[in-house]
Every structure is written in structure tokens, then in C-alpha cells.
Amino acid sequence: MRITEIREKTASIASAIANAYIDFSRMTCSVVAVMTDVIRDGKPIVGYGFNSNGRYGQGSLIRERFLPRILEADSKRLMDEKSDNLDPTRIWECMMTNEKPGGHGERSVAVGTIDMAVWDAVAKIAEKPLFRLLAERYGNGAPDPKVFVYAGGFPDGVKVQDGYVTMPELPGIGFEGKADLYREMKALSN
């Protein structure tokens, strides 16, 4: 099992709004596809990620620093202990090789975008929604049926009530349920 390719695209998320700091009419984001050699239903598993509104796309950092490190690494170094899935922690450590410690906002956005795509792929390989996989790995095994939320980006039709959302049982992060964003991401893997 290995990552076969990682693609990045800068996509427009422009809107006719502004606040005291940002005019969103030229806002962009990075969209990343992490392609694997794991085949399901005749197609390779692809993890998708994107950075949030309020930051511009990080394509240059992603393409020049972080993608080469992952793609040049020994694939065994990026797998979990059982060698049956990718290991997000090991991939993160690989991305951060030769990086100075500290926050560095633009770098964290670039790394976080790839990290999101990796976790999406990991959950799809495990054939579980990401919220369920995280509960099993880092919680008591039972995901909370209600999740307090701050921002959007949920699959189409998901309702937020009193600040909480009930996540659908979609594979990975669930991008497949978010039609507009998923079209942008899917175009990367075609």
C-alpha cells in the first residue's frame, strides 16, 4: 500500500463579502487529492482535503516542500504498524522534516490541507466515516452522536440545530455529500 500521487489545485472560493480585514472577492483555497494504490469497486481510493475560508491557497508551499517529501519517502515509513493503512502521524512527521519548530500560519494551512486529505484516505481505506475512526482510535470507541460545530462545510442536507450537527454515515470525511466542493476535488483525481 502506498500513496501513488498527490495533486493540488488552487480554486476560487470568491464571494461578494468583506470584513474589516479581508475582501473575499478574490479568495482562493487549495484543494488536494491524495491518491493511493488501494482499489475498491475498481477505482483507487482517493483522499480529499481543502483549506478553510480566510486563508488563501497554499499551492506553492504544498508543491515545493510538502508533496516532494511525502512522495520521495519510503512508502513503508508512511504506513501504520500493521501495514494495512497509511499512518497520518508518520506522514505529518515526514512533511515536517527540515522545518523549523513553531506555528507559522501559512505553513500550518498547507500541512493541514494535506493532513485532511490523508485522514480522508485513511478512513476510506478503513471503510469507516472519519468521526467513527477517530472515536475508535482516540476516544472510547463510541462517537458522540451530536457534534458541536462552529463553521459549515457539511454534506448537503445536514441540519445544524442549537449549534450541533448529526453527521451522516459517509465514507472518510464525507466530502462526497457536498456537491459543489466535491466536484472541484473529484476533478483532481480524473
Side-chain angles (χ1 to χ4, degrees):
M1 165 185 315
R2 66 186 188 87
I3 294 172
T4 58
E5 187 177 358
I6 303 174
R7 297 179 185 171
E8 181 278 336
K9 174 185 176 186
T10 299
S12 173
I13 54 171
S15 64
I17 62 171
N19 63 30
Y21 300 101
I22 299 172
D23 172 2
F24 290 91
S25 66
R26 295 184 179 167
M27 186 61 56
T28 61
C29 75
S30 288
V31 181
V32 171
V34 171
M35 302 160 97
T36 72
D37 65 352
V38 178
I39 306 297
R40 296 271 164 73
D41 299 323
K43 297 177 185 175
I45 288 185
V46 179
Y48 298 104
F50 69 101
N51 67 287
S52 67
N53 202 357
R55 295 279 186 178
Y56 289 94
Q58 301 297 311
S60 181
L61 290 174
I62 290 171
R63 288 187 308 273
E64 293 173 15
R65 286 173 28 202
F66 303 113
L67 296 190
R69 291 175 187 160
I70 296 169
L71 296 174
E72 292 168 3
D74 178 353
S75 59
K76 290 181 178 130
R77 182 177 157 218
L78 306 178
M79 293 170 52
D80 65 12
E81 290 178 9
K82 296 179 187 174
S83 296
D84 65 356
N85 208 329
L86 301 170
D87 186 319
T89 301
R90 290 178 178 176
I91 293 170
W92 188 89
E93 290 168 351
C94 178
M95 283 191 282
M96 295 303 290
T97 300
N98 209 31
E99 293 288 326
K100 182 176 97 172
H104 302 92
E106 299 302 314
R107 180 182 70 193
S108 67
V109 174
V111 170
T113 302
I114 299 166
D115 193 48
M116 181 188 293
V118 167
W119 274 107
D120 189 44
V122 167
K124 288 174 181 174
I125 291 167
E127 299 185 271
K128 298 178 181 184
L130 181 59
F131 71 88
R132 192 167 300 287
L133 180 75
L134 291 173
E136 290 170 3
R137 287 190 181 191
Y138 303 108
N140 63 7
D144 191 330
K146 286 183 147 189
V147 179
F148 185 75
V149 296
Y150 168 72
F154 306 111
D156 298 338
V158 169
K159 304 282 188 253
V160 178
Q161 292 182 305
D162 300 322
Y164 288 86
V165 65
T166 301
M167 294 301 290
E169 293 283 331
L170 292 169
I173 294 176
F175 292 129
E176 289 79 357
K178 187 78 176 148
D180 291 342
L181 182 58
Y182 187 60
R183 272 193 294 279
E184 285 283 340
M185 293 178 175
K186 192 73 174 163
L188 282 176
S189 60
N190 290 335

